[in-house]
Amino acid sequence: VCCVAGARVDVCAEPLQRNVLLCVQAADLTIQLSAERLKSAPAAPKSFGTVFTDHMLTIEWTEAEGWGAPRIQPFRNLSVHPACTSLHYSIQLFEGLKAYSGEDKRLRLFRPMLNMKRMSKSAQRVCLPTFDESELLECIRRLVELEQDWAFLSESSSHLYIRPTFISTEATLGLKKPTSALLYVIVCLVGSYFSSTSEGLSLWADPKYTRAAKGGNGDCKLGGNYGGSLAAQAEAQRFGCQQVLWLYGDDQQITEAGTMNVFLYWINEDGVEELATPPLDGIILPGVTRQSILDITRKWGEFAVSERYLTMDQLCSALEQRRVKEMFGSGTACMICHLSHIVYKGEKLSLPSLDGDSLLSTRITKEVEDIQFNNEHISWKLGRS
Amino acid sequence: VCCVAGARVDVCAEPLQRNVLLCVQAADLTIQLSAERLKSAPAAPKSFGTVFTDHMLTIEWTEAEGWGAPRIQPFRNLSVHPACTSLHYSIQLFEGLKAYSGEDKRLRLFRPMLNMKRMSKSAQRVCLPTFDESELLECIRRLVELEQDWAFLSESSSHLYIRPTFISTEATLGLKKPTSALLYVIVCLVGSYFSSTSEGLSLWADPKYTRAAKGGNGDCKLGGNYGGSLAAQAEAQRFGCQQVLWLYGDDQQITEAGTMNVFLYWINEDGVEELATPPLDGIILPGVTRQSILDITRKWGEFAVSERYLTMDQLCSALEQRRVKEMFGSGTACMICHLSHIVYKGEKLSLPSLDGDSLLSTRITKEVEDIQFNNEHISWKLGRS
């Protein structure tokens, strides 16, 4: 499942035009160390994404000059022009991946090339430049290597969350392809993503909100997909639920849960035991955890594993007929998250809640974590500096 | 058509919670003058949105303290935390309005309360706080008053473009309602929005891209609606067209043109002379110019004026039967823009191109401009400082 990152240099996807540096080049990386290392580390665990490490990676790009030299420098605020089109037109994207520490106290990145490839695809969607994915990954590896002590501050922070971000720095209000941009990477402590997951997450489903549509950008990790979901999320909370179950179309297809991909483990309409998740048809984010769950369970070969449409009608029928075994969400931040119930058309649909050890999600979590934290042969370890 | 801005103070829409300042208060405005006034003014006209005036308005908000005092200060870069959720999750929105100078050399704002109300609606969509719309408008009026000399630099810069912007300043990576935010307003020279409009704009229509969907955010001025359109815009240009004609649904409804509302002036299926534009059903931006065109032509009472669905099939039939009189787009930046042709399914559909003076769009433009630049009684003039 894991990706071994080598030192190979891919050919850039974009055709060579002008005499510009089309590739991010890890060999040009410079490092300016912070004088304040580990000083902002908290005594007690904080919630997800609130505590950042001492350094950040920045790489500037301009249409005229191409990619500049990658720099690792002390974590600091960005100086942003008030007309910057990342703030006005959301010409911005991000990625999320984790570095996991094994028993050998070395950090591993989980399938990071999938993130690099998805990031490149997101960039094309908002007319930001592509980059050499392996070279960027090498720069990120160097950053995480520098920050690895942050992963061992306490039991609860045994892994780090890495946030590559790519924004336009164009400072003109006409809507157009950016001529300058900044790619930067920050690293934060993980903490706990959801405030309560012991009993599983509660979802609110209402067809009046859609997360993404055919012909839109739901399959890319663009900021607009997230901020645009907040109103629905607030309404879910007014209904006593933690997240939105996003539906789509007249047949109310189940698409995603909050910011997670969603899985249904059931006996399907044909009486077949099946693990099902919606197909990558343009409105679904191609999650790395999603793909890993499909890969692992297909390798098991114990039940059907399908990328297929699932509607609310199908789910409701299956619940009535006691054909649902389990539902769960998946994502890098939350990993795998059992779902407890869905509020839909004023009714609370309870999802099966077996003893934790018997859950398919628990078994999958164990197998994925075994790869993430311990598998020496196929994961990518960071050397101790 | 114009809005007279008075000194009234509206009650805030949000219910009072805690002892926080829920209202932006113009009376608290402080002004710090720039030492560099008018020094960056260009000798020759530049393109739209590239030259900014000397000052900006900023108003900070926090969940704990409510709205801070409005400040007019020298135009400067923003200091932004790298985890700011305006850059990651597009918790951001903007408005666009113009100040027009009449023969009396005094500036007028055109229907600015419509922008304030739309801004408030956009804020609610991304869980940013609402504000007192009249008080914010008064602060903007003071900013424009201070910058009015920029409007008289040359013949081509006889009006200014005003860009209110509202961003989350929350610096945590968990996706949630922001607890801090910055509302700021910048002012720029207008220049020419499109590079060539003498013959009208060319559009490219392909159902494979959608701008917005039912249940989404297409009716709010959120950044994500704009950055997410760049890939389609780039493809339109590869087909030799300037903008995208956005279609929606299986029946390929005509929705918007680029970032403009769209109007069809035709003899409809029932043989009735009609000016038609798509209805505000959630996927259409409620444009101020759009509303003004509807108001003016309804007042004329010379032909039917309809907010109705228009499909590509209907347009194609009407073109074949020579029932189309004219198509045009509308928006604050471009004002009213004649459309020349549409590339659709590999065919170039030519739209009628009468002599400019005979065009309905020319007549509407003249009437709107008369209000924007000259109507003393119902427009809102800025005093000379």
Side-chain angles (χ1 to χ4, degrees), chain A residues 33-275:
Chain A
L33 289 180
S34 167
E36 305 281 317
R37 297 185 73 176
L38 286 167
K39 288 204 179 148
S40 60
K46 302 268 185 179
S47 50
F48 171 80
T50 57
V51 179
F52 298 88
T53 64
D54 303 308
H55 300 88
M56 63 197 294
L57 169 69
T58 62
I59 321 177
E60 292 179 7
W61 173 89
T62 65
E63 190 178 67
E65 305 284 335
W67 286 101
R71 297 172 59 195
I72 289 175
Q73 58 185 313
F75 190 95
R76 63 178 68 153
N77 274 13
L78 306 170
S79 179
V80 177
H81 191 282
C84 178
T85 55
S86 57
L87 292 178
H88 293 257
Y89 306 132
S90 190
I91 303 179
Q92 61 178 237
L93 59 98
F94 67 93
E95 271 299 327
L97 63 163
K98 282 184 182 165
Y100 303 86
S101 65
E103 285 173 12
D104 56 0
K105 295 284 176 190
R106 295 176 72 179
L107 287 177
R108 294 160 176 80
L109 294 170
F110 182 64
R111 308 187 83 178
M113 276 304 279
L114 292 184
N115 296 93
M116 297 298 102
K117 287 180 192 303
R118 189 171 62 183
M119 188 170 179
S120 186
K121 189 178 145 203
S122 298
Q124 289 174 284
R125 194 66 62 89
V126 287
C127 292
L128 284 171
T130 52
F131 44 85
D132 185 305
E133 294 151 14
S134 299
E135 294 286 311
L136 175 59
L137 182 55
E138 172 59 16
C139 295
I140 291 174
R141 195 191 64 78
R142 296 279 295 278
L143 174 66
V144 178
E145 199 170 67
L146 186 67
E147 302 293 56
Q148 60 187 306
D149 288 341
W150 282 86
F152 304 101
L153 291 174
S154 73
E155 193 60 37
S156 69
S157 65
S158 62
H159 43 309
L160 297 174
Y161 180 83
I162 302 153
R163 172 56 64 98
T165 317
F166 195 9
I167 60 172
S168 163
T169 53
E170 181 83 31
T172 65
L173 293 183
L175 177 63
K176 60 168 192 157
K177 182 178 188 292
T179 60
S180 65
L182 176 69
L183 194 163
Y184 65 93
V185 183
I186 53 180
V187 179
C188 67
L189 300 189
V190 171
S192 172
Y193 192 74
F194 295 115
S195 49
S196 160
T197 56
S198 56
E199 296 187 354
L201 274 184
S202 54
L203 302 178
W204 175 74
D206 192 310
K208 75 176 174 179
Y209 289 111
T210 53
R211 192 194 78 94
K214 298 280 168 66
N217 303 298
D219 57 345
C220 288
K221 225 162 164 63
L222 304 184
N225 294 336
Y226 296 80
S229 75
L230 282 179
Q233 167 70 12
E235 193 159 342
Q237 286 170 348
R238 285 196 290 275
F239 279 89
C241 297
Q242 291 164 290
Q243 295 286 322
V244 177
L245 179 63
W246 297 99
L247 306 181
Y248 183 73
D250 293 334
D251 54 353
Q252 300 186 13
Q253 295 161 28
I254 292 166
T255 63
E256 297 198 14
T259 57
M260 299 180 290
N261 292 119
V262 66
F263 283 83
L264 174 63
Y265 179 42
W266 68 335
I267 307 298
N268 72 16
E269 316 91 313
D270 302 324
V272 175
E273 184 180 345
E274 181 183 60
L275 178 66

